[in-house]
Amino acid sequence: MGTTEQAVEQARSAGAYAHVVDGSELVSKRTMLDAIAAQLSFPEWAGRNLDALYDCLIDLSWLPRGEHVLVWSSHRVLAEHDPKAYRGIGSVLVAAAQESGERVFRAVCTTD
């Protein structure tokens, strides 16, 4: 972990697209899912649950080919307010990052 700025710079220097989710005010599963969907331009038809999150993260066909890095700043805010949602979303991010395709997904958490 480092700063959000460092994570974005590292992603961009590797040729990846960086998508920043500011977690400083995201205190529920719903708000976090909405923020991820907005940053990754999920289609309107995409659901807002963990299964839909996973399905979208391993697809990303609406985004340019290449690597897409979700930079989740202030991730501990959700952990403090909704530990179950934090664990669930974290598990989905890890699982989706293990899948590969034309659009590679990675997630990075930062503390700022």
XYZ file of all heavy atoms in Angstrom:
857
model
N 0.832 -1.190 0.000
C 0.000 0.000 0.000
C 0.868 1.240 0.000
O 1.925 1.264 0.598
C -0.897 0.039 1.235
C -2.155 -0.762 1.109
S -3.217 -0.557 2.535
C -3.012 -2.150 3.288
N 0.382 2.222 -0.653
C 1.025 3.522 -0.672
C -0.076 4.555 -0.757
O -1.202 4.321 -0.339
N 0.251 5.671 -1.343
C -0.763 6.691 -1.523
C -1.524 6.423 -2.819
O -1.049 5.696 -3.706
C -0.135 8.098 -1.596
O 0.619 8.203 -2.803
C 0.729 8.387 -0.382
N -2.658 7.048 -2.929
C -3.461 6.919 -4.142
C -2.689 7.450 -5.334
O -2.664 6.827 -6.399
C -4.797 7.678 -3.966
O -5.495 7.085 -2.864
C -5.650 7.596 -5.207
N -2.037 8.573 -5.143
C -1.258 9.167 -6.228
C -0.168 8.208 -6.714
O 0.046 8.052 -7.912
C -0.641 10.485 -5.752
C 0.083 11.245 -6.840
C 0.610 12.580 -6.342
O -0.139 13.317 -5.672
O 1.785 12.869 -6.631
N 0.502 7.547 -5.785
C 1.543 6.584 -6.158
C 0.951 5.401 -6.924
O 1.525 4.937 -7.907
C 2.277 6.078 -4.914
C 3.159 7.105 -4.256
C 3.667 6.640 -2.897
O 3.017 5.868 -2.190
N 4.851 7.132 -2.521
N -0.186 4.902 -6.465
C -0.823 3.756 -7.119
C -1.270 4.110 -8.531
O -1.108 3.319 -9.462
C -2.010 3.280 -6.284
N -1.824 5.296 -8.702
C -2.255 5.747 -10.025
C -1.050 5.897 -10.939
O -1.065 5.433 -12.087
C -3.057 7.068 -9.932
C -3.254 7.691 -11.296
C -4.395 6.820 -9.244
N 0.007 6.509 -10.444
C 1.218 6.697 -11.247
C 1.827 5.355 -11.639
O 2.257 5.164 -12.775
C 2.240 7.553 -10.495
C 3.531 7.781 -11.264
C 3.331 8.423 -12.631
O 2.456 9.279 -12.799
O 4.073 8.035 -13.562
N 1.856 4.429 -10.706
C 2.415 3.107 -10.997
C 1.592 2.387 -12.068
O 2.147 1.789 -12.980
C 2.469 2.266 -9.721
C 3.174 0.938 -9.906
C 3.319 0.190 -8.597
O 2.512 0.338 -7.681
N 4.349 -0.619 -8.497
N 0.268 2.475 -11.964
C -0.603 1.845 -12.964
C -0.375 2.466 -14.331
O -0.187 1.758 -15.332
C -2.066 1.981 -12.548
N -0.372 3.783 -14.372
C -0.204 4.476 -15.655
C 1.170 4.223 -16.268
O 1.299 4.065 -17.482
C -0.461 5.969 -15.480
C -1.929 6.259 -15.251
C -2.212 7.729 -15.158
N -3.646 7.948 -14.960
C -4.144 9.012 -14.369
N -3.351 9.989 -13.946
N -5.449 9.139 -14.217
N 2.213 4.185 -15.438
C 3.553 3.942 -15.979
C 3.673 2.526 -16.529
O 4.527 2.265 -17.376
C 4.630 4.220 -14.930
O 4.569 3.280 -13.884
N 2.813 1.615 -16.072
C 2.792 0.247 -16.589
C 1.860 0.119 -17.795
O 1.652 -0.972 -18.312
C 2.369 -0.721 -15.486
N 1.268 1.238 -18.206
C 0.380 1.218 -19.360
C -1.054 0.838 -19.042
O -1.847 0.565 -19.944
N -1.401 0.825 -17.778
C -2.756 0.440 -17.358
C -3.646 1.672 -17.201
O -3.163 2.795 -17.070
C -2.697 -0.323 -16.037
N -4.933 1.432 -17.207
C -5.919 2.468 -16.936
C -6.195 2.455 -15.432
O -6.472 1.404 -14.860
C -7.229 2.194 -17.673
C -7.091 2.171 -19.171
C -6.844 0.984 -19.852
C -7.222 3.349 -19.915
C -6.715 0.957 -21.231
C -7.096 3.324 -21.299
C -6.849 2.129 -21.945
O -6.728 2.103 -23.312
N -6.113 3.610 -14.787
C -6.380 3.709 -13.348
C -7.782 4.270 -13.135
O -8.179 5.245 -13.777
C -5.348 4.596 -12.681
N -8.526 3.645 -12.234
C -9.882 4.064 -11.887
C -9.911 4.231 -10.366
O -9.785 3.243 -9.631
C -10.906 3.010 -12.308
C -10.793 2.597 -13.748
N -11.471 3.240 -14.745
C -10.068 1.615 -14.339
C -11.183 2.655 -15.907
N -10.340 1.675 -15.683
N -10.058 5.448 -9.888
C -9.963 5.725 -8.451
C -11.343 5.797 -7.814
O -12.220 6.531 -8.275
C -9.204 7.046 -8.193
C -9.149 7.356 -6.700
C -7.804 6.984 -8.789
N -11.517 5.020 -6.743
C -12.716 5.085 -5.912
C -12.299 5.708 -4.588
O -11.480 5.138 -3.861
C -13.333 3.688 -5.679
C -14.428 3.747 -4.632
C -13.873 3.117 -6.973
N -12.843 6.869 -4.285
C -12.570 7.549 -3.017
C -13.477 6.933 -1.960
O -14.680 7.182 -1.929
C -12.838 9.046 -3.157
C -12.631 9.803 -1.861
O -12.280 9.186 -0.829
O -12.832 11.026 -1.870
N -12.892 6.119 -1.096
C -13.671 5.417 -0.086
C -13.884 6.189 1.196
O -14.457 5.655 2.147
N -13.491 7.446 1.243
C -13.546 8.204 2.500
C -14.954 8.385 3.050
O -15.126 8.579 4.243
C -12.868 9.565 2.340
O -13.543 10.344 1.368
N -15.968 8.281 2.190
C -17.347 8.433 2.668
C -18.221 7.242 2.297
O -19.447 7.316 2.403
C -17.945 9.729 2.120
C -17.237 10.958 2.657
C -17.873 12.254 2.203
O -19.020 12.241 1.736
O -17.193 13.283 2.312
N -17.602 6.158 1.880
C -18.349 4.975 1.476
C -18.483 4.041 2.676
O -17.539 3.349 3.040
C -17.667 4.287 0.299
C -17.483 5.175 -0.928
C -16.724 4.445 -2.021
C -18.828 5.664 -1.446
N -19.652 4.060 3.287
C -19.832 3.354 4.560
C -20.788 2.158 4.463
O -21.112 1.547 5.467
C -20.329 4.321 5.656
C -19.284 5.399 5.925
C -21.667 4.938 5.289
N -21.222 1.815 3.256
C -22.125 0.676 3.106
C -21.804 -0.082 1.826
O -21.150 0.441 0.916
C -23.588 1.145 3.057
O -23.851 1.814 1.830
N -22.274 -1.297 1.782
C -22.090 -2.131 0.589
C -22.663 -1.431 -0.633
O -22.032 -1.372 -1.683
C -22.774 -3.476 0.824
C -22.702 -4.438 -0.324
C -23.401 -5.738 0.093
C -23.618 -6.662 -1.046
N -24.369 -7.860 -0.608
N -23.842 -0.889 -0.503
C -24.514 -0.241 -1.631
C -23.711 0.943 -2.177
O -23.532 1.079 -3.382
C -25.921 0.226 -1.195
C -26.715 0.942 -2.227
C -27.043 0.025 -3.358
N -27.879 0.697 -4.340
C -28.542 0.065 -5.258
N -28.509 -1.233 -5.321
N -29.251 0.727 -6.130
N -23.221 1.805 -1.287
C -22.478 2.968 -1.762
C -21.161 2.549 -2.423
O -20.749 3.146 -3.410
C -22.207 3.996 -0.646
O -21.477 3.372 0.423
C -23.500 4.591 -0.104
N -20.524 1.501 -1.895
C -19.277 1.032 -2.495
C -19.541 0.410 -3.857
O -18.809 0.680 -4.815
C -18.593 0.030 -1.563
C -17.246 -0.419 -2.063
S -16.072 0.961 -2.270
C -14.756 0.119 -3.110
N -20.570 -0.413 -3.977
C -20.900 -1.016 -5.269
C -21.240 0.056 -6.297
O -20.824 -0.033 -7.458
C -22.049 -2.010 -5.117
C -21.736 -3.278 -4.318
C -22.989 -4.123 -4.145
C -20.621 -4.076 -4.955
N -21.975 1.063 -5.875
C -22.314 2.165 -6.785
C -21.058 2.916 -7.240
O -20.938 3.295 -8.401
C -23.294 3.142 -6.129
C -24.703 2.588 -6.019
O -25.020 1.572 -6.684
O -25.507 3.175 -5.256
N -20.122 3.128 -6.320
C -18.889 3.856 -6.650
C -18.027 3.057 -7.634
O -17.484 3.624 -8.590
C -18.104 4.166 -5.377
N -17.915 1.754 -7.421
C -17.147 0.921 -8.346
C -17.809 0.935 -9.721
O -17.142 1.102 -10.740
C -17.015 -0.522 -7.823
C -16.159 -0.553 -6.553
C -16.419 -1.437 -8.899
C -16.161 -1.896 -5.835
N -19.129 0.790 -9.731
C -19.867 0.785 -10.999
C -19.664 2.096 -11.758
O -19.479 2.101 -12.973
C -21.352 0.541 -10.737
N -19.670 3.203 -11.041
C -19.484 4.506 -11.687
C -18.067 4.643 -12.248
O -17.883 5.091 -13.381
C -19.777 5.634 -10.692
N -17.066 4.258 -11.467
C -15.668 4.417 -11.909
C -15.315 3.513 -13.082
O -14.493 3.867 -13.909
C -14.708 4.170 -10.763
C -14.603 5.331 -9.821
C -14.182 6.601 -10.535
O -13.235 6.625 -11.318
N -14.897 7.677 -10.277
N -15.933 2.346 -13.137
C -15.636 1.404 -14.223
C -16.710 1.427 -15.309
O -16.730 0.554 -16.174
C -15.451 -0.006 -13.657
C -14.197 -0.171 -12.797
C -14.184 -1.527 -12.112
C -12.939 0.010 -13.628
N -17.577 2.423 -15.240
C -18.606 2.627 -16.272
C -19.435 1.380 -16.540
O -19.700 1.032 -17.691
C -17.963 3.102 -17.582
O -17.222 4.270 -17.376
N -19.868 0.698 -15.473
C -20.696 -0.499 -15.651
C -21.938 -0.148 -16.457
O -22.504 0.943 -16.296
C -21.139 -1.072 -14.307
C -20.072 -1.813 -13.540
C -18.765 -1.904 -13.989
C -20.385 -2.426 -12.347
C -17.795 -2.589 -13.270
C -19.434 -3.115 -11.616
C -18.142 -3.203 -12.078
N -22.388 -1.061 -17.288
C -23.627 -0.825 -18.045
C -24.824 -0.664 -17.105
O -24.805 -1.168 -15.981
C -23.786 -2.103 -18.883
C -22.445 -2.760 -18.863
C -21.767 -2.333 -17.597
N -25.847 0.026 -17.576
C -27.036 0.243 -16.748
C -27.675 -1.050 -16.281
O -28.269 -1.113 -15.220
C -28.065 1.086 -17.507
C -27.722 2.547 -17.541
C -28.837 3.384 -18.124
O -30.017 3.016 -17.967
O -28.521 4.401 -18.748
N -27.590 -2.099 -17.108
C -28.239 -3.360 -16.775
C -27.533 -4.131 -15.659
O -28.064 -5.087 -15.128
C -28.348 -4.260 -18.013
C -27.062 -4.462 -18.769
C -26.676 -3.832 -19.920
C -25.975 -5.335 -18.431
N -25.434 -4.253 -20.322
C -24.974 -5.181 -19.428
C -25.740 -6.232 -17.395
C -23.781 -5.889 -19.417
C -24.532 -6.935 -17.383
C -23.587 -6.757 -18.386
N -26.323 -3.716 -15.298
C -25.560 -4.442 -14.281
C -26.232 -4.333 -12.924
O -26.653 -3.252 -12.508
C -24.137 -3.899 -14.204
N -26.328 -5.445 -12.243
C -26.916 -5.460 -10.905
C -25.978 -4.843 -9.887
O -24.817 -4.556 -10.174
N -26.488 -4.643 -8.695
C -25.681 -4.085 -7.609
C -25.628 -5.091 -6.456
O -26.167 -4.870 -5.381
C -26.252 -2.749 -7.120
C -26.177 -1.624 -8.132
C -24.726 -1.270 -8.489
N -24.636 -0.061 -9.253
C -24.706 0.005 -10.570
N -24.903 -1.093 -11.287
N -24.585 1.158 -11.196
N -24.978 -6.224 -6.737
C -24.735 -7.222 -5.711
C -23.365 -7.835 -5.996
O -22.730 -7.514 -7.004
C -25.854 -8.279 -5.683
C -26.020 -8.966 -7.018
O -25.077 -9.545 -7.557
N -27.227 -8.907 -7.574
N -22.892 -8.688 -5.120
C -21.538 -9.217 -5.253
C -21.371 -10.099 -6.488
O -20.323 -10.066 -7.141
C -21.123 -9.960 -3.990
C -21.024 -9.100 -2.720
C -20.624 -9.953 -1.527
C -20.055 -7.943 -2.909
N -22.392 -10.885 -6.832
C -22.305 -11.718 -8.036
C -22.191 -10.852 -9.284
O -21.391 -11.132 -10.177
C -23.525 -12.647 -8.154
C -23.512 -13.766 -7.124
O -22.417 -14.123 -6.633
O -24.600 -14.287 -6.815
N -22.991 -9.801 -9.356
C -22.949 -8.894 -10.507
C -21.608 -8.161 -10.557
O -21.052 -7.952 -11.638
C -24.104 -7.894 -10.443
N -21.080 -7.784 -9.399
C -19.775 -7.128 -9.349
C -18.716 -8.040 -9.959
O -17.946 -7.623 -10.827
C -19.404 -6.768 -7.905
C -18.006 -6.176 -7.687
C -17.835 -4.863 -8.430
C -17.730 -6.006 -6.195
N -18.702 -9.288 -9.538
C -17.731 -10.241 -10.071
C -17.900 -10.398 -11.581
O -16.926 -10.337 -12.333
C -17.886 -11.595 -9.372
C -16.975 -12.652 -9.936
C -15.636 -12.711 -9.565
C -17.445 -13.583 -10.860
C -14.787 -13.672 -10.098
C -16.604 -14.546 -11.402
C -15.285 -14.588 -11.007
O -14.444 -15.523 -11.548
N -19.128 -10.597 -12.018
C -19.387 -10.780 -13.451
C -18.892 -9.586 -14.267
O -18.296 -9.761 -15.329
C -20.875 -11.002 -13.707
C -21.373 -12.346 -13.193
O -20.534 -13.243 -12.920
O -22.598 -12.504 -13.058
N -19.129 -8.396 -13.779
C -18.687 -7.197 -14.499
C -17.173 -7.068 -14.489
O -16.562 -6.729 -15.512
C -19.329 -5.946 -13.911
S -21.076 -5.758 -14.328
N -16.541 -7.359 -13.361
C -15.088 -7.200 -13.256
C -14.324 -8.178 -14.139
O -13.230 -7.859 -14.612
C -14.628 -7.345 -11.800
C -15.076 -6.234 -10.857
C -14.635 -6.550 -9.425
C -14.560 -4.877 -11.299
N -14.871 -9.358 -14.369
C -14.161 -10.301 -15.239
C -14.523 -10.099 -16.704
O -13.936 -10.729 -17.581
C -14.380 -11.774 -14.816
C -15.846 -12.186 -14.951
C -13.856 -12.003 -13.406
C -16.071 -13.681 -14.822
N -15.460 -9.203 -16.987
C -15.869 -8.918 -18.363
C -15.201 -7.628 -18.849
O -14.289 -7.662 -19.661
C -17.389 -8.813 -18.420
C -17.927 -8.538 -19.808
O -17.130 -8.380 -20.759
O -19.159 -8.462 -19.955
N -15.675 -6.501 -18.367
C -15.161 -5.170 -18.721
C -15.096 -4.929 -20.231
O -14.317 -4.113 -20.711
C -13.782 -4.912 -18.099
C -13.690 -4.931 -16.572
C -12.246 -4.718 -16.121
C -14.607 -3.897 -15.942
N -15.929 -5.609 -21.005
C -15.882 -5.511 -22.469
C -16.249 -4.124 -22.990
O -15.944 -3.798 -24.133
C -16.804 -6.562 -23.099
O -18.137 -6.381 -22.668
N -16.857 -3.289 -22.187
C -17.228 -1.931 -22.588
C -16.060 -0.957 -22.423
O -16.139 0.180 -22.846
C -18.440 -1.448 -21.776
C -18.220 -1.617 -20.310
C -17.667 -0.723 -19.449
C -18.503 -2.778 -19.543
N -17.581 -1.248 -18.185
C -18.100 -2.525 -18.213
C -19.053 -4.029 -19.837
C -18.229 -3.458 -17.197
C -19.184 -4.956 -18.817
C -18.773 -4.663 -17.519
N -14.981 -1.414 -21.803
C -13.785 -0.584 -21.623
C -12.730 -0.962 -22.655
O -12.780 -2.046 -23.236
C -13.226 -0.784 -20.205
C -14.106 -0.321 -19.051
C -13.466 -0.678 -17.719
C -14.392 1.162 -19.135
N -11.746 -0.085 -22.886
C -10.677 -0.411 -23.835
C -9.909 -1.663 -23.393
O -9.810 -1.941 -22.191
C -9.754 0.810 -23.788
C -10.507 1.876 -23.084
C -11.578 1.227 -22.273
N -9.367 -2.375 -24.346
C -8.535 -3.534 -24.020
C -7.326 -3.081 -23.225
O -6.844 -1.972 -23.382
C -8.076 -4.232 -25.293
C -9.178 -4.980 -25.948
C -8.656 -5.804 -27.094
N -9.769 -6.603 -27.594
C -10.011 -6.839 -28.848
N -9.191 -6.359 -29.770
N -11.040 -7.554 -29.211
N -6.850 -3.958 -22.381
C -5.684 -3.652 -21.566
C -5.977 -3.898 -20.100
O -6.983 -4.496 -19.741
N -5.093 -3.428 -19.270
C -5.222 -3.618 -17.822
C -5.957 -2.439 -17.201
O -5.687 -1.281 -17.518
C -3.835 -3.748 -17.190
C -3.889 -4.024 -15.708
C -2.513 -4.267 -15.102
O -1.501 -4.159 -15.830
O -2.466 -4.541 -13.899
N -6.883 -2.766 -16.307
C -7.647 -1.751 -15.585
C -7.411 -1.963 -14.094
O -7.638 -3.049 -13.565
C -9.138 -1.860 -15.926
C -9.406 -1.498 -17.350
N -9.695 -0.214 -17.736
C -9.376 -2.235 -18.485
C -9.850 -0.178 -19.044
N -9.655 -1.399 -19.528
N -6.943 -0.919 -13.444
C -6.607 -0.988 -12.024
C -7.591 -0.130 -11.239
O -7.705 1.076 -11.467
C -5.161 -0.495 -11.766
C -4.839 -0.547 -10.276
C -4.172 -1.310 -12.579
N -8.301 -0.779 -10.319
C -9.194 -0.065 -9.412
C -8.381 0.319 -8.189
O -7.843 -0.550 -7.494
C -10.372 -0.955 -9.003
C -11.358 -0.309 -8.050
C -12.186 0.745 -8.779
C -12.258 -1.347 -7.429
N -8.243 1.612 -7.944
C -7.501 2.114 -6.788
C -8.539 2.563 -5.764
O -9.264 3.526 -5.975
C -6.571 3.290 -7.175
C -5.822 3.795 -5.945
C -5.606 2.867 -8.278
N -8.615 1.828 -4.657
C -9.605 2.085 -3.620
C -8.925 2.816 -2.466
O -8.227 2.238 -1.672
C -10.208 0.762 -3.167
C -11.241 0.794 -2.098
C -11.788 1.884 -1.495
C -11.860 -0.343 -1.495
N -12.723 1.499 -0.553
C -12.779 0.135 -0.534
C -11.715 -1.706 -1.666
C -13.552 -0.715 0.249
C -12.493 -2.561 -0.885
C -13.406 -2.067 0.051
N -9.115 4.128 -2.421
C -8.504 4.919 -1.350
C -9.384 4.876 -0.104
O -10.586 4.664 -0.180
C -8.301 6.369 -1.804
O -9.530 7.035 -1.936
N -8.760 5.062 1.033
C -9.459 5.060 2.323
C -10.336 3.831 2.496
O -11.457 3.901 2.997
C -10.298 6.340 2.476
O -9.495 7.483 2.354
N -9.816 2.683 2.110
C -10.596 1.442 2.141
C -11.028 1.031 3.540
O -12.047 0.387 3.717
C -9.814 0.313 1.457
C -8.590 -0.104 2.190
N -8.545 -1.237 2.952
C -7.364 0.469 2.293
C -7.343 -1.360 3.490
N -6.608 -0.324 3.098
N -10.305 1.447 4.531
C -10.636 1.046 5.908
C -11.930 1.680 6.427
O -12.507 1.213 7.401
C -9.481 1.364 6.834
C -8.230 0.585 6.472
C -7.512 0.083 7.691
N -6.303 -0.616 7.325
C -6.239 -1.936 7.144
N -7.313 -2.665 7.271
N -5.099 -2.513 6.834
N -12.394 2.729 5.783
C -13.655 3.360 6.208
C -14.795 2.345 6.117
O -15.586 2.199 7.049
C -13.957 4.627 5.368
C -15.349 5.157 5.652
C -12.904 5.697 5.643
N -14.879 1.635 5.003
C -15.929 0.617 4.875
C -15.716 -0.507 5.885
O -16.684 -0.984 6.486
C -15.972 0.056 3.452
C -17.061 -0.991 3.198
C -18.458 -0.399 3.416
C -16.951 -1.571 1.802
N -14.481 -0.893 6.114
C -14.184 -1.959 7.083
C -14.686 -1.592 8.477
O -15.208 -2.442 9.192
C -12.689 -2.237 7.118
N -14.561 -0.325 8.838
C -15.004 0.124 10.158
C -16.522 0.191 10.261
O -17.090 -0.110 11.308
C -14.400 1.500 10.466
C -12.903 1.471 10.649
C -12.284 2.856 10.688
O -13.022 3.868 10.697
O -11.037 2.927 10.689
N -17.192 0.603 9.179
C -18.640 0.782 9.218
C -19.431 -0.480 8.884
O -20.543 -0.668 9.388
C -19.062 1.909 8.273
C -18.727 3.259 8.797
N -17.513 3.855 8.579
C -19.445 4.125 9.547
C -17.487 5.034 9.181
N -18.642 5.224 9.772
N -18.885 -1.323 8.008
C -19.600 -2.526 7.582
C -18.587 -3.619 7.254
O -18.287 -3.875 6.094
C -20.474 -2.202 6.363
C -21.451 -3.307 6.022
O -21.240 -4.464 6.464
O -22.427 -3.027 5.306
N -18.060 -4.271 8.298
C -17.012 -5.282 8.089
C -17.437 -6.419 7.153
O -16.630 -6.905 6.364
C -16.728 -5.810 9.500
C -17.246 -4.771 10.431
C -18.369 -4.085 9.723
N -18.680 -6.828 7.228
C -19.154 -7.914 6.363
C -19.100 -7.489 4.892
O -18.642 -8.245 4.031
C -20.577 -8.311 6.746
C -21.119 -9.461 5.941
C -22.521 -9.842 6.385
C -23.066 -10.940 5.485
N -24.451 -11.270 5.833
N -19.550 -6.291 4.591
C -19.504 -5.781 3.216
C -18.058 -5.641 2.754
O -17.725 -5.987 1.616
C -20.220 -4.435 3.120
N -17.196 -5.165 3.631
C -15.776 -5.008 3.307
C -15.155 -6.349 2.927
O -14.462 -6.459 1.915
C -15.047 -4.392 4.503
C -13.573 -4.200 4.297
C -13.087 -3.127 3.557
C -12.651 -5.087 4.852
C -11.725 -2.937 3.376
C -11.292 -4.903 4.674
C -10.839 -3.829 3.928
O -9.493 -3.646 3.747
N -15.420 -7.366 3.729
C -14.876 -8.697 3.436
C -15.441 -9.245 2.131
O -14.714 -9.816 1.315
C -15.169 -9.663 4.590
C -14.312 -9.412 5.818
C -14.464 -10.528 6.853
N -15.845 -10.766 7.255
C -16.480 -10.113 8.219
N -15.844 -9.160 8.891
N -17.723 -10.397 8.523
N -16.731 -9.072 1.915
C -17.359 -9.584 0.698
C -16.835 -8.908 -0.553
O -16.489 -9.573 -1.538
N -16.767 -7.598 -0.533
C -16.262 -6.852 -1.694
C -14.790 -7.171 -1.907
O -14.348 -7.393 -3.036
C -16.519 -5.343 -1.526
C -18.027 -5.074 -1.629
C -15.739 -4.533 -2.561
C -18.457 -3.683 -1.243
N -14.027 -7.221 -0.833
C -12.613 -7.572 -0.947
C -12.416 -8.942 -1.571
O -11.543 -9.121 -2.431
N -13.221 -9.908 -1.176
C -13.126 -11.257 -1.742
C -13.425 -11.258 -3.234
O -12.751 -11.941 -4.012
C -14.091 -12.204 -1.029
O -13.695 -12.400 0.295
N -14.424 -10.481 -3.635
C -14.767 -10.395 -5.058
C -13.634 -9.734 -5.835
O -13.279 -10.186 -6.931
C -16.099 -9.642 -5.268
C -16.333 -9.321 -6.735
C -17.258 -10.466 -4.710
N -13.051 -8.678 -5.302
C -11.940 -8.004 -5.985
C -10.761 -8.951 -6.186
O -10.166 -9.000 -7.262
C -11.501 -6.758 -5.214
C -12.528 -5.630 -5.085
C -11.962 -4.485 -4.249
C -12.990 -5.134 -6.430
N -10.446 -9.745 -5.159
C -9.346 -10.707 -5.261
C -9.675 -11.784 -6.289
O -8.848 -12.114 -7.148
C -9.034 -11.331 -3.882
C -8.097 -12.517 -4.012
C -8.448 -10.288 -2.945
N -10.880 -12.326 -6.237
C -11.270 -13.386 -7.169
C -11.260 -12.886 -8.616
O -10.770 -13.571 -9.522
C -12.654 -13.928 -6.804
N -11.778 -11.703 -8.843
C -11.825 -11.149 -10.203
C -10.421 -10.865 -10.724
O -10.151 -11.043 -11.916
C -12.672 -9.882 -10.229
N -9.527 -10.449 -9.844
C -8.159 -10.151 -10.264
C -7.416 -11.414 -10.693
O -6.434 -11.335 -11.419
C -7.407 -9.448 -9.139
N -7.887 -12.567 -10.281
C -7.238 -13.823 -10.647
C -7.670 -14.316 -12.027
O -7.089 -15.249 -12.554
C -7.519 -14.887 -9.584
C -6.863 -14.539 -8.258
C -7.241 -15.476 -7.135
O -8.174 -16.260 -7.235
N -6.520 -15.382 -6.035
N -8.697 -13.695 -12.594
C -9.168 -14.054 -13.928
C -8.409 -13.223 -14.951
O -8.070 -12.079 -14.708
C -10.664 -13.773 -14.061
C -11.527 -14.620 -13.161
C -11.520 -16.087 -13.545
O -11.555 -16.408 -14.749
O -11.483 -16.924 -12.632
N -8.175 -13.782 -16.114
C -7.493 -13.036 -17.169
C -8.302 -13.072 -18.447
O -9.015 -14.026 -18.716
C -6.104 -13.622 -17.448
O -5.241 -13.365 -16.386
N -8.164 -12.031 -19.212
C -8.825 -11.936 -20.497
C -8.212 -10.791 -21.273
O -7.089 -10.369 -20.994
N -8.950 -10.269 -22.227
C -8.457 -9.136 -23.006
C -8.343 -7.889 -22.136
O -7.577 -6.994 -22.428
C -9.389 -8.853 -24.173
C -9.393 -9.962 -25.202
C -10.367 -9.676 -26.324
O -11.176 -8.736 -26.215
O -10.309 -10.407 -27.316
N -9.137 -7.842 -21.094
C -9.110 -6.721 -20.161
C -8.772 -7.272 -18.776
O -9.588 -7.922 -18.156
C -10.453 -6.009 -20.144
C -10.716 -5.262 -21.434
C -12.189 -5.196 -21.750
N -12.419 -4.643 -23.062
C -12.488 -5.382 -24.172
N -12.328 -6.674 -24.125
N -12.708 -4.815 -25.334
N -7.565 -7.017 -18.352
C -7.090 -7.538 -17.075
C -7.544 -6.593 -15.972
O -7.447 -5.374 -16.101
C -5.550 -7.652 -17.085
C -5.024 -8.080 -15.731
C -5.110 -8.627 -18.172
N -8.044 -7.160 -14.875
C -8.489 -6.357 -13.735
C -7.537 -6.577 -12.569
O -7.132 -7.699 -12.280
C -9.907 -6.750 -13.318
C -10.327 -6.107 -12.029
C -10.694 -4.778 -12.001
C -10.292 -6.826 -10.837
C -11.039 -4.157 -10.797
C -10.637 -6.227 -9.640
C -11.016 -4.899 -9.629
N -7.204 -5.475 -11.909
C -6.450 -5.502 -10.656
C -7.065 -4.499 -9.706
O -7.655 -3.513 -10.134
C -4.991 -5.088 -10.894
C -4.051 -6.213 -11.128
C -2.575 -5.843 -11.094
N -2.212 -4.527 -11.575
C -1.623 -3.593 -10.824
N -1.367 -3.800 -9.562
N -1.306 -2.426 -11.335
N -6.882 -4.733 -8.423
C -7.354 -3.785 -7.414
C -6.198 -3.469 -6.465
O -5.409 -4.343 -6.125
C -8.517 -4.370 -6.633
N -6.130 -2.216 -6.059
C -5.113 -1.742 -5.125
C -5.827 -0.913 -4.070
O -6.640 -0.052 -4.390
C -4.066 -0.863 -5.840
C -3.062 -0.300 -4.859
C -3.369 -1.637 -6.954
N -5.518 -1.202 -2.803
C -6.084 -0.407 -1.704
C -5.027 0.556 -1.186
O -3.865 0.170 -1.033
C -6.537 -1.321 -0.578
S -7.903 -2.401 -1.007
N -5.449 1.779 -0.935
C -4.542 2.777 -0.352
C -5.181 3.332 0.916
O -6.394 3.245 1.097
C -4.224 3.911 -1.333
O -5.424 4.606 -1.650
C -3.588 3.373 -2.608
N -4.377 3.905 1.765
C -4.878 4.368 3.053
C -5.241 5.849 3.083
O -5.821 6.319 4.047
C -3.850 4.098 4.162
O -2.608 4.697 3.789
C -3.671 2.619 4.379
N -4.881 6.592 2.042
C -5.192 8.027 2.061
C -6.518 8.323 1.395
O -7.177 7.502 0.840
C -4.091 8.831 1.378
C -3.924 8.512 -0.095
O -4.325 7.421 -0.528
O -3.372 9.354 -0.808
